[in-house]
Amino acid sequence: MNESEKKEKHPIENTEVIVTSPEIENIEQQLYKEIDFEKLRELCTHLYDAIQDILHSCGIYFRIFSRVKSADSIAKKLQRGKYGTAENPKKIQDIIGLRIVLYYYDDISICREIMESTFQMIGDWSKARFRTNEFKATKTNGVFRFPMEYFKHYKRKLWSFPIDTTFELQFRTVFFEGWHEIEHDMRYKSMLSDKEFWKGSEELSRTLNCILANLELNDWSLVKLFDELSYNHYKSKNWDLMLKSKLRIHLNNEEPLFPELTELLNREPQLAKQFFKADRRTVMKELLKSKHSQITYNLIIKLINEKEVKNPEITEIFKKFDNIDSAKTHQKSILTRQIGRA
């Protein structure tokens, strides 16, 4: 998606609606009358499929979850008086929500860049902020406009409620995923303040901080471990395993490097070093732009060589194997094709 397409003003905007009373009768029934939840679920499915396709294309390890906020949940939010009031005209922005759970914490920044290039973002990323001696669950949330490729199928007149035509994306790591669910139920939805919640059990609150600190340490340690493992394989000239542990992406283990590539890397250690130092972010972006049915070690070498190394002998090797990905490439979604051209 080019810059003009991404920044183009969304043609459907909500009109300013003020909810005059937090005790709105029959608001849930009115929501069902005004909002086509079935169409929103279709839109949610399109977003789910597109994001899944994008992340699969660049080999990221992830899990994705989605939901359309229920009429009951929306009604409760509106009745609390925190949206669409004279004091706070803010609109609900997460009528559709998607949560992406990543296996490696450094993939969060990569996924943020990809999502910013794919969708029209509203504001900035919301991230947990805390002092160096304070531990909280890390999270990264962003709000985006509904893509018009999908929202144009929403035929009903736009609702009058203070609900924006946006969806929310959340990024978490696997280590924090379980904790987020506990925190949401035990803290966020609790009627007590955090101070009251732990009253008389301050030592348990300290223990909780220790658990959170260990979760953060696990995220960091996992990446560090594979970086060191990659270096060990580099020194041992295990090129396939070097790439696997360095990149930490889905790779087809059934197709090893071409013998010609293995022999060349064994013969020229300085050339092999350039592939060892290849940037994961760059590799993933090149994968997203390329046409492939599966990610192989040979494809990785080919893309890195074309983008950064530019070794003529490797180029000649791949000319002999122009069927490196002879299988039919999978049909990418609209948004995946757009980001691939960006």
Side-chain angles (χ1 to χ4, degrees):
M1 179 182 294
N2 60 45
E3 194 67 15
S4 62
E5 289 175 324
K6 186 178 69 170
K7 298 299 183 182
E8 183 181 3
K9 183 177 176 61
H10 199 277
I12 299 181
E13 299 286 350
N14 287 8
T15 56
E16 186 73 17
V17 176
I18 302 299
V19 179
T20 57
S21 170
E23 302 297 333
I24 303 175
E25 295 183 359
N26 301 320
I27 187 171
E28 188 175 345
Q29 290 80 2
Q30 191 62 33
L31 283 165
Y32 279 118
K33 290 180 181 179
E34 288 198 25
I35 299 178
D36 189 337
F37 283 94
E38 185 61 35
K39 282 297 180 184
L40 287 181
R41 282 189 284 270
E42 288 182 18
L43 172 56
C44 184
T45 299
H46 283 306
L47 290 169
Y48 179 102
D49 291 342
I51 293 172
Q52 182 171 249
D53 194 30
I54 289 169
L55 299 185
H56 276 315
S57 292
C58 50
I60 288 179
Y61 281 94
F62 71 98
R63 292 289 183 271
I64 184 170
F65 306 89
S66 65
R67 64 102 181 99
V68 174
K69 193 177 285 294
S70 68
D72 175 68
S73 178
I74 297 170
K76 287 177 179 177
K77 274 199 167 187
L78 294 175
Q79 288 169 347
R80 293 188 193 110
K82 293 184 178 180
Y83 296 92
T85 65
E87 295 76 19
N88 185 10
K90 182 180 178 180
K91 300 171 184 176
I92 294 174
Q93 295 185 308
D94 65 340
I95 191 169
I96 290 178
L98 297 105
R99 184 171 77 255
I100 301 169
V101 180
L102 299 166
Y103 288 32
Y104 304 105
Y105 84 90
D106 53 344
D107 284 342
I108 292 179
S109 61
I110 296 173
C111 289
R112 281 169 45 192
E113 285 187 21
I114 293 173
M115 295 300 106
E116 289 171 13
S117 300
T118 308
F119 305 105
Q120 181 185 355
M121 190 171 189
I122 306 299
D124 298 318
W125 291 97
S126 172
K127 296 182 288 185
R129 302 184 185 281
F130 40 86
R131 297 182 295 274
T132 54
N133 62 343
E134 182 181 24
F135 293 96
K136 295 180 181 178
T138 56
K139 58 182 179 180
T140 302
N141 300 347
V143 175
F144 300 84
R145 284 287 177 203
F146 292 160
M148 286 311 302
E149 294 92 332
Y150 304 141
F151 194 55
K152 65 184 179 182
H153 300 294
Y154 188 93
K155 302 297 185 182
R156 187 180 292 187
K157 181 181 178 182
L158 201 62
W159 51 82
S160 63
F161 290 97
I163 303 170
D164 213 347
T165 52
T166 55
F167 67 97
E168 184 182 61
L169 270 178
Q170 299 179 349
F171 288 110
R172 303 174 184 171
T173 64
V174 288
F175 288 116
F176 275 109
E177 169 64 3
W179 170 250
H180 271 284
E181 295 302 314
I182 295 171
E183 183 184 50
H184 187 263
D185 184 64
M186 298 297 289
R187 278 181 159 173
Y188 177 72
K189 290 195 171 183
S190 174
M191 300 302 293
L192 299 174
S193 67
D194 205 46
K195 186 177 181 180
E196 291 176 294
F197 192 86
W198 297 105
K199 187 175 181 179
S201 301
E202 286 76 12
E203 72 284 356
L204 295 179
S205 178
R206 177 177 173 80
T207 301
L208 180 68
N209 283 340
C210 292
I211 294 173
L212 290 175
N214 277 313
L215 290 176
E216 188 171 323
L217 180 62
N218 287 338
D219 270 334
W220 179 85
S221 298
L222 189 63
V223 171
K224 184 67 175 175
L225 181 150
F226 282 112
D227 281 345
E228 292 184 7
L229 180 61
S230 176
Y231 179 72
N232 290 344
H233 286 309
Y234 162 69
K235 297 295 288 185
S236 301
K237 297 185 177 181
N238 296 324
W239 309 124
D240 293 32
L241 298 178
M242 176 196 78
L243 291 171
K244 185 175 182 65
S245 49
K246 168 75 176 181
L247 298 176
R248 292 178 273 118
I249 59 177
H250 282 286
L251 281 159
N252 176 16
N253 297 310
E254 296 180 0
E255 182 183 311
L257 280 176
F258 297 144
E260 292 89 342
L261 289 175
T262 300
E263 190 277 331
L264 177 60
L265 295 176
N266 288 339
R267 190 175 73 242
E268 298 189 23
Q270 288 304 311
L271 176 61
K273 189 175 184 179
Q274 293 184 66
F275 289 96
F276 170 70
K277 289 188 172 181
D279 180 58
R280 289 181 72 243
R281 187 182 305 264
T282 299
V283 171
M284 289 182 186
K285 287 182 178 179
E286 292 305 303
L287 282 169
L288 193 54
K289 292 188 290 185
S290 72
K291 294 181 179 180
H292 57 270
S293 60
Q294 56 188 351
I295 303 174
T296 65
Y297 297 102
N298 294 305
L299 176 63
I300 293 298
I301 293 293
K302 182 176 186 288
L303 293 177
I304 295 175
N305 190 63
E306 290 174 347
K307 182 66 177 180
E308 294 182 343
V309 178
K310 303 184 186 303
N311 178 274
E313 193 168 348
I314 291 179
T315 301
E316 286 302 313
I317 289 174
F318 280 108
K319 284 182 179 179
K320 300 176 184 178
F321 297 95
D322 56 2
N323 62 338
I324 180 174
D325 192 35
S326 58
K328 183 179 179 182
T329 57
H330 69 279
Q331 180 63 33
K332 294 184 177 182
S333 67
I334 296 173
L335 294 177
T336 313
R337 294 197 298 271
Q338 288 177 339
I339 184 62
R341 294 194 300 267

